[in-house]
Amino acid sequence: MTELVLNKGEIAVATARKPETLNDLKAKYPPSQLLVLRLDANKVQEIKDVFAKIKGTFGRLDVVFNNAGWAFQGEVEAAPEDISRVMFDTNFWGASNVSLESVKFFREVNRPVGGRLIVNSSQGGIYAYPGMGFYSASKHALEGVTSALAQELDPEWNIKITLLELGLFRTKVIDKLSELTFTHPAYTKATLPSVATVAYFNDGTPKGADTSKAVQRIYDLAAEPEPSLRFPIGKDALESVRGEAKRILEDAAKYESWSEGLEFDT
């Protein structure tokens, strides 16, 4: 996404836990077009410092691509609590704190007020992956707080928020899943959904669609005047979202009559 923005001649602020990984871009673009800053999204003060640096350097910020996150795989019973909590700190609290600072900046710094917040969730925030339960839970939590935040904003602030329900795209997150796998001895049948998920990601073959094409669509989304709250992208994401919506509606219809007569008699 950073490369795309720069190639289009726009200004980018790129953050990373290890800023040196972006040295090739720093060498290619002038400081007036690219600002590279250290950011560990688990550290609230670093988030605040980044936004303060942006204010001092450019004076405004139009779009935030809130992209912090990582994943591991394994059954819910197999997932170590300490590692699950660390992942939640990034995927939920880190991303949420970036969103909060973004909204504050759009409202209190930008003139005219307004801005575009794009939050990188996952199809796992709609449909919980077997074999990636705590990752899915972190994205469900992010979906919930982001949806509430979007509804709470005063329309006069002109702040637009969209959740990306990403399908599977080829990134380093996918590559590292085989290194971050936990298994439970009770789950041995190859036909179990969680076992199949782990086998799929660990078989050594490339996974996912073209990330460069996806970021072009996300870039275009940033220019939409009235964007939707949720943006499923990728054919697998569309299938997951539609399937989960269908199951929820079917469950609601099946037990609809059970909600009759629950009012107080007087």
Side-chain angles (χ1 to χ4, degrees):
M1 179 61 81
T2 301
E3 291 171 344
L4 175 65
V5 169
L6 293 170
N7 286 337
K8 290 181 177 292
E10 300 203 47
I11 296 172
V13 179
T15 65
R17 288 181 298 113
K18 298 178 180 179
E20 62 272 15
T21 60
L22 300 175
N23 282 345
D24 58 334
L25 289 179
K26 287 182 68 176
K28 187 176 179 181
Y29 294 94
S32 59
Q33 190 180 356
L34 172 63
L35 176 64
V36 175
L37 299 172
R38 170 181 165 76
L39 174 59
D40 182 340
N42 293 333
K43 298 177 180 178
V44 175
Q45 189 57 52
E46 286 193 13
I47 297 173
K48 293 180 181 294
D49 291 345
V50 161
F51 280 91
K53 183 68 173 179
I54 295 168
K55 178 181 178 180
T57 305
F58 298 115
R60 70 172 291 112
L61 179 63
D62 297 303
V63 181
V64 172
F65 182 41
N66 188 355
N67 191 40
W70 62 281
F72 67 81
Q73 59 181 347
E75 293 84 16
V76 171
E77 285 193 271
E81 182 177 336
D82 57 343
I83 295 177
S84 301
R85 287 180 178 273
V86 171
M87 185 179 64
F88 252 87
D89 281 344
T90 301
N91 293 7
F92 176 69
W93 286 110
S96 295
N97 285 327
V98 170
S99 291
L100 292 174
E101 288 299 318
S102 301
V103 166
K104 181 180 179 182
F105 195 103
F106 294 154
R107 181 183 60 233
E108 300 181 9
V109 177
N110 282 354
R111 291 295 179 271
V113 298
R116 191 75 178 85
L117 174 59
I118 298 176
V119 181
N120 197 353
S121 181
S122 166
Q123 61 178 320
I126 303 294
Y127 165 74
Y129 297 110
M132 298 181 70
F134 280 102
Y135 170 78
S136 298
S138 70
K139 293 299 187 177
H140 273 69
L142 182 61
E143 293 268 336
V145 75
T146 304
S147 177
L149 176 62
Q151 295 175 77
E152 291 168 356
L153 299 177
D154 189 328
E156 292 183 359
W157 299 339
N158 193 32
I159 299 171
K160 310 294 185 181
I161 299 179
T162 296
L163 283 156
L164 296 179
E165 321 294 2
L166 283 165
L168 194 61
F169 289 92
R170 196 169 301 172
T171 69
K172 291 181 180 179
V173 173
I174 303 301
D175 296 338
K176 291 179 180 179
L177 277 178
S178 61
E179 304 169 16
L180 295 168
T181 301
F182 303 93
T183 58
H184 189 283
Y187 296 81
T188 57
K189 294 179 182 178
T191 54
L192 291 174
S194 62
V195 177
T197 296
V198 171
Y200 173 75
F201 283 113
N202 289 4
D203 68 6
T205 61
K207 300 290 188 299
D210 190 332
T211 307
S212 63
K213 293 179 179 178
V215 295
Q216 178 63 61
R217 300 290 168 82
I218 297 166
Y219 178 88
D220 294 341
L221 176 70
E224 283 285 298
E226 294 298 330
S228 62
L229 174 62
R230 290 182 171 83
F231 181 67
I233 179 168
K235 292 181 179 179
D236 54 333
L238 290 170
E239 182 180 353
S240 293
V241 169
R242 286 170 176 156
E244 189 67 6
K246 181 174 181 289
R247 286 186 288 272
I248 291 172
L249 290 172
E250 287 174 348
D251 287 347
K254 180 178 180 180
Y255 292 104
E256 181 176 5
S257 63
W258 289 37
S259 291
E260 297 295 333
L262 300 183
E263 299 81 8
F264 284 102
D265 293 332
T266 58

